[in-house]
Amino acid sequence: MNLKIKIQKGITKMAFKYNERVMFHGNQRLLIAKLDSATAYSDVVFGTGLVSVSNMKDDSNITNFPADDVPDHATISGAQLLKGTINFMQLDPDVRVKFFGQEETANGKGFASVGVYPQRVVQYATLGTKRDGTRALMVTVYPSMSVTSKPSKQTTTDSADKPTAVNWEAAVQASGSDYYKTKSGRKSAEFEYIFYGEDVDKTLDYIDKGGIILPDFVPGTTTVPASATATRGPGG
């Protein structure tokens, strides 16, 4: 945003100039995969029923070192660790097993948590629009996310005035990965990739084929690696 000065009949006025407005909303196209390297991933799961990924707050410690009567002469931050919750309205078998670490019951009719939580790269898309109508897309990627508790649910009796749906909620944590780095070579626990115009459809087409946005992704050029075998819900 810029400040533009207007001079009218000897009076100086300052007009505030905003950047182009854009708004994002919702979440969809959840993908969960095993990150194998900076250029490859495998075992992609198409997640169904994602309600929200919320309250992802940084839990890392920041330490200030005083010197010369300056309280923050030097500041060191611990490795980034985000903690929050993830909510689903539906838990398909592949999500239960490959993300929540659940195992199938002895009779093959259900699943149970056993306290083993695999680390996975987790990605979801959020659509948006610029004020001029141009389409926008934000893709959020957590390079290394894991569940830290079994999914819990709350059920209530149906009533005529306010029927409810079962939601599963679980605590999650996300950290950085050697395979995901910024332009300066730094790791982060969360990446947000923004696309506009024609790049939106190109990126969505890539995602719909099971594509994870890696640091070197180029819309319309990058293809889904052969290692990225994907499953969609019950039965794959």
Side-chain angles (χ1 to χ4, degrees), residues 49-76:
L50 176 67
V51 176
S52 66
V53 179
S54 58
N55 300 321
M56 295 300 292
K57 297 179 180 179
D58 194 350
D59 199 49
S60 60
N61 293 319
I62 297 178
T63 303
N64 293 319
F65 294 91
D68 301 324
D69 290 336
V70 177
D72 55 352
H73 172 81
T75 302
I76 298 177

Side-chain angles (χ1 to χ4, degrees), residues 17 22 87 92 106 121 145 175:
K17 187 177 180 181
V22 61
N87 292 267
D92 288 333
V121 53
M145 176 180 277
S175 59

